[in-house]
Amino acid sequence: MKPDINDALVALKPGAIWTLPHNPTATNDYERLVWQDESQTKPTEEEVVRKLTELEYMDEINQYQRDRLVAYPSAGDQFDRIFHDGIEAWKADIQGIKNVYPRKYPDPVELKTRQDKAIEDLKSS
C-alpha cells in the first residue's frame, strides 16, 4: 500500500497524537490534520511533504523485495529442489530470480530532487 500522511507523521513524530477528520472541502490531507499532542510539536507541511516523498521513494526502491517474494518458490519446493538436484541447482534458480528483480539502492541526489519538486509543487498550489 502506498505511503500516506499517516505514515509520514508516524515516521516524523513517533507516538504523537493527531486526527485526520473527514473534510470534503479540504484540498489536501495536511489541511485536515488536527494536532492533539501536547509533548511534540506539529510538523510543518513541508516536513510532512518531504518525509512522505522519502517514504514513497523508498517504497518504489523496495518493490524488488515484493516482486522476489512472489517469484520465489515455496520453502517446501526449495527444499525439494535442494534434495533432488543439489544446492548448486537451487542457487541457480534463486540467482535467476535475483537477476530478474535486482536489488535497488536509494540515490540521495534523486531523493533530494524529488523532495525539492514536491515542495515546489506544494508552494505553487
Side-chain angles (χ1 to χ4, degrees), residues 102-114:
R103 182 174 183 180
K104 296 183 179 175
Y105 297 91
D107 176 356
V109 174
E110 175 65 18
L111 173 58
K112 183 173 181 339
T113 299
R114 290 180 184 210

Side-chain angles (χ1 to χ4, degrees), residues 78-93:
Q78 290 187 49
F79 289 135
D80 197 50
R81 176 79 160 146
I82 292 168
F83 180 80
H84 290 288
D85 302 317
I87 260 280
E88 293 307 315
W90 168 79
K91 285 170 82 174
D93 291 347

Side-chain angles (χ1 to χ4, degrees), residues 42-55:
K42 179 180 178 181
T44 66
E45 188 171 18
E46 284 191 14
E47 289 172 320
V48 171
V49 167
R50 283 190 180 283
K51 180 54 76 174
L52 184 55
T53 302
E54 175 187 344
L55 294 173

